[in-house]
Amino acid sequence: MDGPTPTPLALVKPVRAPKQQKAMRDINFQPANVCGTNRGWQLHRKRHEDACHPCQGAHGQHLAEGRQARAAAAALLPPKERKTRAPRQPKASAVCGTISGRKRHYDEGTPVCETCRITYNEYSRAKYRETNPPKAPAVCGTDEGYGRHRWLRTTPCQPCLDAHAARTRASYHRKTEPLPPVECGTTRGERKHRKDGTPTCDPCRAAYNTYKSAQRAQRKKEAA
């Protein structure tokens, strides 16, 4: 019989529909009781979540077994092929109750003990106090004292109320006080002429040209 040989049905790869493929992806093929193993620790990391204590312990044990296996394999090699570097040992100072002890907990994947946690918290607070010294408390009779009353949610005393009122009045008068009059022969006078739409007088034009010439000379000096 002429023509191509038909492919047996057993060798034909079934083609799934898109909806069936999505349904297959949603199925969790991992066993339910993987916690407490190194595989469970890997699944925690893959899901971007913190590993539970059993998985941390299993991962630490897995790393220790790997180091022991590598050390045993290196011991079977001929002397010329052995690595002279000894297996890494924990530091003598890496005991519980120190910063190194807390790091050792994380390296081995074991839960941090209460002693290491307290030591690290004290170290962090002391470091923060060094870089951020405490400020002197605000005294009554000032605007800072009024703000301290508000922060503590207490009733401000009369001296603090008077100081805050005086500061508010001074700020208001500083914003509402009239500006000094604009005089001709200055750059402000030239801007006022342009704003009012009036012809620029000779003194204002000369002052503006002098200002622009000095500005251009400064730019050339900086570029050189």
Side-chain angles (χ1 to χ4, degrees):
M1 182 177 180
D2 298 336
T5 306
T7 305
L9 294 178
L11 300 180
V12 177
K13 185 177 180 180
V15 180
R16 297 190 180 97
K19 291 185 178 180
Q20 187 179 3
Q21 292 179 0
K22 184 177 183 303
M24 294 294 290
R25 285 198 303 268
D26 295 340
I27 298 176
N28 185 11
F29 292 97
Q30 302 296 336
N33 55 347
V34 293
C35 271
T37 62
N38 186 59
R39 177 60 180 165
W41 183 86
Q42 293 176 355
L43 289 177
H44 282 301
R45 293 295 298 275
K46 186 176 181 181
R47 296 168 185 166
H48 302 285
E49 60 186 15
D50 296 334
C52 58
H53 291 321
C55 289
Q56 290 180 3
H59 179 64
Q61 184 179 0
H62 172 74
L63 296 179
E65 291 176 355
R67 287 193 292 267
Q68 293 175 2
R70 288 192 295 270
L76 299 177
L77 295 175
K80 293 183 179 180
E81 298 182 7
R82 292 181 186 176
K83 293 183 179 180
T84 57
R85 185 171 63 89
R88 184 172 57 181
Q89 299 292 339
K91 296 181 180 180
S93 59
V95 296
C96 286
T98 60
I99 304 300
S100 302
R102 179 180 177 273
K103 187 177 182 300
R104 179 173 58 84
H105 282 298
Y106 279 99
D107 292 342
E108 296 179 355
T110 57
V112 181
C113 62
E114 189 66 23
T115 308
C116 291
R117 184 179 292 107
I118 294 174
T119 303
Y120 180 76
N121 292 341
E122 293 178 354
Y123 166 76
S124 301
R125 284 193 290 268
K127 190 173 182 181
Y128 178 81
R129 285 194 295 268
E130 289 178 1
T131 55
N132 301 277
K135 298 181 180 179
V139 296
C140 285
T142 60
D143 190 60
E144 290 78 8
Y146 175 83
R148 186 167 182 269
H149 281 296
R150 295 295 302 272
W151 184 71
L152 296 177
R153 296 184 179 181
T154 58
T155 305
C157 58
Q158 191 60 36
C160 289
L161 289 174
D162 296 340
H164 180 66
R167 181 181 179 277
T168 304
R169 286 193 299 270
S171 177
Y172 174 77
H173 290 309
R174 185 169 60 252
K175 292 179 181 179
T176 57
E177 63 183 5
L179 295 175
V182 181
E183 299 178 355
C184 283
T186 60
T187 54
R188 289 186 60 199
E190 192 272 339
R191 285 198 297 270
K192 188 174 186 303
H193 281 298
R194 284 189 295 168
K195 184 178 179 180
D196 296 343
T198 57
T200 306
C201 60
D202 293 336
C204 288
R205 184 180 293 106
Y208 180 75
N209 293 339
T210 303
Y211 168 74
K212 281 296 183 180
S213 300
Q215 196 176 36
R216 286 192 293 269
Q218 182 65 23
R219 291 176 181 172
K220 290 181 180 180
K221 184 178 180 181
E222 293 177 355

